[in-house]
Coordinates of all heavy atoms in Angstrom, one line a residue:
G79 N 81.1 107.6 94.4 CA 80.0 107.6 93.4 C 80.1 106.5 92.4 O 80.6 105.4 92.6
N80 N 79.5 106.7 91.2 CA 79.5 105.8 90.1 C 80.8 105.9 89.4 O 81.1 106.7 88.5 CB 78.4 106.2 89.1 CG 78.3 105.2 87.9 OD1 79.1 104.3 87.8 ND2 77.3 105.5 87.1
M81 N 81.7 104.9 89.7 CA 83.1 105.0 89.2 C 83.2 104.7 87.7 O 84.2 105.0 87.0 CB 84.0 104.0 89.9 CG 84.0 104.2 91.4 SD 84.2 105.9 92.0 CE 86.0 106.0 91.9
A82 N 82.1 104.3 87.1 CA 82.0 104.1 85.6 C 81.4 105.3 84.9 O 81.4 105.4 83.7 CB 81.2 102.9 85.3
G83 N 80.9 106.3 85.7 CA 80.3 107.5 85.1 C 81.3 108.5 84.8 O 82.5 108.4 84.9
K84 N 80.8 109.6 84.2 CA 81.7 110.8 83.9 C 82.3 111.4 85.1 O 81.6 111.4 86.2 CB 80.9 111.8 83.1 CG 80.5 111.4 81.7 CD 79.7 112.5 81.0 CE 79.3 112.1 79.6 NZ 78.6 113.1 78.9
T85 N 83.5 111.9 85.0 CA 84.1 112.5 86.2 C 83.6 113.9 86.4 O 83.4 114.7 85.5 CB 85.7 112.6 86.0 OG1 86.0 113.2 84.7 CG2 86.3 111.2 86.1
L86 N 83.3 114.2 87.7 CA 82.7 115.5 88.0 C 83.4 115.9 89.3 O 83.1 115.3 90.4 CB 81.2 115.5 88.2 CG 80.5 116.7 88.6 CD1 80.7 117.8 87.5 CD2 79.0 116.5 88.8
M87 N 84.2 117.0 89.3 CA 84.8 117.5 90.5 C 83.9 118.5 91.2 O 83.3 119.3 90.6 CB 86.1 118.2 90.1 CG 86.9 118.8 91.3 SD 88.6 119.3 90.9 CE 89.5 117.8 91.0
L88 N 83.8 118.4 92.5 CA 83.0 119.2 93.4 C 83.9 120.2 94.2 O 84.7 119.7 95.0 CB 82.1 118.4 94.3 CG 81.2 117.4 93.7 CD1 80.3 116.7 94.8 CD2 80.3 118.0 92.6
L89 N 83.7 121.5 94.0 CA 84.6 122.4 94.7 C 83.7 123.4 95.6 O 82.9 124.1 95.1 CB 85.3 123.3 93.6 CG 86.3 122.4 92.8 CD1 86.5 123.1 91.4 CD2 87.6 122.3 93.6
P90 N 83.8 123.2 96.9 CA 82.9 124.0 97.8 C 83.2 125.4 97.9 O 84.3 125.9 97.4 CB 83.2 123.3 99.1 CG 84.6 122.7 99.0 CD 84.7 122.3 97.6
G91 N 82.3 126.2 98.5 CA 82.4 127.6 98.6 C 83.1 128.1 99.9 O 83.7 127.3 100.7
T92 N 82.9 129.3 100.2 CA 83.6 130.0 101.3 C 83.2 129.3 102.7 O 82.1 129.0 102.9 CB 83.2 131.5 101.4 OG1 83.4 132.1 100.2 CG2 84.0 132.2 102.5
C93 N 84.2 129.0 103.5 CA 84.0 128.5 104.8 C 83.4 127.1 104.8 O 82.8 126.7 105.8 CB 83.2 129.4 105.7 SG 83.8 131.0 105.9
C94 N 83.5 126.4 103.8 CA 82.8 125.1 103.7 C 83.7 123.9 103.3 O 84.7 124.1 102.6 CB 81.6 125.1 102.7 SG 80.1 125.7 103.4
D95 N 83.3 122.7 103.8 CA 83.9 121.5 103.2 C 82.8 120.9 102.3 O 81.7 121.3 102.3 CB 84.3 120.5 104.3 CG 83.2 120.3 105.3 OD1 82.0 120.4 105.0 OD2 83.5 119.9 106.5
W96 N 83.2 119.9 101.5 CA 82.3 119.4 100.5 C 81.1 118.7 101.2 O 80.0 118.6 100.7 CB 83.0 118.5 99.5 CG 83.6 117.2 99.9 CD1 84.8 117.0 100.3 CD2 82.8 116.0 100.1 NE1 85.0 115.7 100.7 CE2 83.8 115.0 100.6 CE3 81.5 115.6 100.0 CZ2 83.4 113.7 100.9 CZ3 81.2 114.3 100.2 CH2 82.1 113.4 100.7
Q97 N 81.4 118.0 102.3 CA 80.4 117.3 103.0 C 79.2 118.1 103.4 O 78.1 117.7 103.3 CB 81.0 116.6 104.3 CG 82.0 115.5 104.0 CD 83.4 116.0 103.9 OE1 83.7 117.2 103.6 NE2 84.4 115.1 104.2
T98 N 79.5 119.4 103.8 CA 78.4 120.3 104.2 C 77.8 121.0 102.9 O 76.6 121.0 102.7 CB 78.9 121.3 105.2 OG1 79.4 120.7 106.3 CG2 77.8 122.3 105.6
N99 N 78.7 121.5 102.1 CA 78.3 122.3 100.9 C 77.4 121.5 100.0 O 76.3 122.0 99.5 CB 79.5 122.8 100.2 CG 79.2 124.1 99.4 OD1 80.1 124.9 99.1 ND2 78.0 124.3 98.9
F100 N 77.8 120.3 99.7 CA 77.0 119.4 98.7 C 76.2 118.3 99.4 O 75.7 117.4 98.7 CB 78.0 118.8 97.7 CG 78.6 119.9 96.8 CD1 79.9 120.3 97.1 CD2 78.0 120.4 95.7 CE1 80.6 121.2 96.3 CE2 78.6 121.4 94.9 CZ 79.9 121.8 95.2
G101 N 76.1 118.4 100.7 CA 75.5 117.3 101.5 C 74.1 116.9 101.1 O 73.8 115.7 101.2
T102 N 73.3 117.9 100.7 CA 71.9 117.6 100.4 C 71.7 117.0 99.0 O 70.6 116.5 98.7 CB 71.0 118.9 100.5 OG1 71.5 119.8 99.5 CG2 71.1 119.5 101.9
V103 N 72.7 117.1 98.2 CA 72.6 116.6 96.8 C 73.6 115.5 96.4 O 73.6 115.0 95.3 CB 72.7 117.7 95.8 CG1 71.5 118.7 96.0 CG2 74.0 118.4 95.8
I104 N 74.5 115.1 97.4 CA 75.6 114.2 97.0 C 75.1 112.9 96.6 O 75.6 112.2 95.7 CB 76.6 114.1 98.2 CG1 77.9 113.6 97.8 CG2 76.0 113.3 99.3 CD1 78.7 114.6 97.0
S105 N 74.0 112.4 97.2 CA 73.5 111.0 96.8 C 73.0 111.0 95.4 O 73.2 110.0 94.7 CB 72.4 110.6 97.8 OG 71.3 111.5 97.8
E106 N 72.3 112.1 95.0 CA 71.8 112.1 93.6 C 72.9 112.2 92.6 O 72.9 111.6 91.6 CB 70.9 113.4 93.5 CG 69.5 113.2 94.1 CD 69.5 113.7 95.6 OE1 70.6 113.9 96.2 OE2 68.5 114.1 96.1
L107 N 73.9 113.1 92.9 CA 75.1 113.2 92.0 C 75.9 111.9 91.9 O 76.4 111.5 90.8 CB 76.0 114.4 92.5 CG 75.4 115.8 92.3 CD1 76.3 116.8 93.0 CD2 75.2 116.2 90.9
A108 N 76.0 111.2 93.0 CA 76.8 110.0 93.1 C 76.2 108.9 92.3 O 76.9 107.9 91.9 CB 77.0 109.6 94.6
E109 N 74.9 108.9 92.1 CA 74.3 107.8 91.3 C 74.7 107.8 89.9 O 74.9 106.8 89.2 CB 72.7 108.0 91.3 CG 72.1 107.6 92.6 CD 70.6 107.8 92.6 OE1 70.1 108.1 91.5 OE2 69.9 107.7 93.7
K110 N 75.0 109.0 89.3 CA 75.4 109.1 87.9 C 76.9 109.4 87.6 O 77.4 108.9 86.6 CB 74.6 110.3 87.3 CG 73.1 110.0 87.2 CD 72.4 111.1 86.4 CE 71.0 110.8 86.2 NZ 70.3 111.9 85.5
Y111 N 77.5 110.1 88.6 CA 78.9 110.6 88.3 C 80.0 110.0 89.2 O 79.7 109.6 90.3 CB 78.9 112.1 88.4 CG 77.9 112.8 87.5 CD1 76.7 113.4 88.0 CD2 78.1 112.7 86.1 CE1 75.8 113.9 87.2 CE2 77.1 113.3 85.2 CZ 76.0 113.9 85.8 OH 75.1 114.5 84.9
H112 N 81.1 109.9 88.6 CA 82.4 109.6 89.3 C 82.8 110.9 90.0 O 83.4 111.8 89.3 CB 83.4 109.1 88.4 CG 84.8 108.9 89.0 ND1 85.7 108.1 88.3 CD2 85.3 109.3 90.1 CE1 86.8 108.1 89.0 NE2 86.6 108.8 90.2
L113 N 82.5 111.1 91.2 CA 82.7 112.4 91.9 C 84.1 112.5 92.5 O 84.6 111.5 93.1 CB 81.7 112.6 93.0 CG 80.2 112.6 92.6 CD1 79.3 112.7 93.9 CD2 79.9 113.7 91.6
I114 N 84.7 113.6 92.3 CA 86.0 113.9 92.9 C 85.7 115.1 93.9 O 85.6 116.3 93.4 CB 87.1 114.3 91.9 CG1 87.2 113.2 90.8 CG2 88.4 114.6 92.5 CD1 87.8 113.7 89.5
C115 N 85.7 114.8 95.1 CA 85.2 115.8 96.1 C 86.5 116.4 96.8 O 87.3 115.7 97.3 CB 84.4 115.1 97.2 SG 83.0 114.2 96.5
V116 N 86.5 117.7 96.8 CA 87.7 118.5 97.2 C 87.5 119.2 98.5 O 86.4 119.9 98.7 CB 88.2 119.4 96.2 CG1 89.5 120.1 96.6 CG2 88.4 118.7 94.8
N117 N 88.4 119.1 99.5 CA 88.5 120.0 100.6 C 89.8 120.7 100.6 O 90.9 120.1 100.6 CB 88.3 119.3 102.0 CG 86.8 118.9 102.2 OD1 85.9 119.6 101.8 ND2 86.6 117.9 103.0
Y118 N 89.8 122.0 100.7 CA 91.0 122.8 100.5 C 91.8 122.8 101.8 O 91.3 122.5 102.9 CB 90.7 124.3 100.2 CG 89.6 124.4 99.2 CD1 88.5 125.2 99.5 CD2 89.6 123.8 98.0 CE1 87.4 125.4 98.6 CE2 88.6 124.0 97.0 CZ 87.5 124.8 97.4 OH 86.5 125.0 96.5
D119 N 93.1 123.1 101.7 CA 93.9 123.3 102.9 C 93.2 124.3 103.9 O 92.6 125.3 103.5 CB 95.3 124.0 102.6 CG 96.2 123.1 101.8 OD1 96.1 121.8 102.0 OD2 97.0 123.6 101.0
G120 N 93.2 123.9 105.2 CA 92.5 124.7 106.1 C 91.0 124.4 106.3 O 90.4 124.8 107.3
F121 N 90.5 123.6 105.4 CA 89.1 123.2 105.4 C 89.0 121.6 105.3 O 87.9 121.1 104.9 CB 88.3 123.9 104.4 CG 88.4 125.4 104.5 CD1 89.3 126.1 103.8 CD2 87.5 126.1 105.3 CE1 89.4 127.5 104.0 CE2 87.5 127.4 105.5 CZ 88.5 128.2 104.8
D122 N 90.1 120.9 105.5 CA 90.2 119.5 105.3 C 90.4 118.7 106.6 O 90.7 117.5 106.5 CB 91.3 119.2 104.3 CG 92.7 119.7 104.8 OD1 92.7 120.4 105.9 OD2 93.7 119.4 104.1
G123 N 90.2 119.3 107.7 CA 90.3 118.6 109.0 C 91.8 118.6 109.5 O 92.0 118.1 110.6
S124 N 92.7 119.2 108.7 CA 94.1 119.2 109.2 C 94.4 120.5 109.9 O 93.5 121.4 110.0 CB 95.0 119.1 108.0 OG 95.0 120.3 107.2
D125 N 95.6 120.7 110.4 CA 96.0 121.9 111.1 C 96.6 123.0 110.1 O 97.0 124.0 110.5 CB 97.1 121.7 112.1 CG 96.5 120.8 113.3 OD1 95.3 121.0 113.6 OD2 97.2 120.0 113.9
D126 N 96.5 122.6 108.8 CA 97.1 123.5 107.8 C 96.2 124.8 107.7 O 95.0 124.8 108.0 CB 97.1 122.9 106.4 CG 98.1 121.7 106.3 OD1 99.1 121.8 107.1 OD2 98.0 120.9 105.5

């Protein structure tokens, strides 16, 4: 996102990764904010 903007961490909900959970609004948020997008263990593409 906007690396000069305010920091905003995105934390997805049950059974979701951030790409799906925030996928419909990520472009709008990225225009203004320095986004820190989180995928938890087990939901990050790893075998954890």
Side-chain angles (χ1 to χ4, degrees):
N80 179 358
M81 306 309 278
K84 292 182 178 179
T85 51
L86 179 62
M87 179 171 276
L88 305 184
L89 296 155
T92 307
C93 301
C94 271
D95 50 26
W96 68 261
Q97 291 92 335
T98 303
N99 204 153
F100 296 99
T102 62
V103 297
I104 199 75
S105 60
E106 289 91 339
L107 291 170
E109 287 180 8
K110 293 186 177 181
Y111 302 109
H112 174 168
L113 300 177
I114 306 161
C115 306
V116 182
N117 281 335
Y118 319 126
D119 290 330
F121 301 91
D122 58 355
S124 72
D125 293 328
D126 293 335

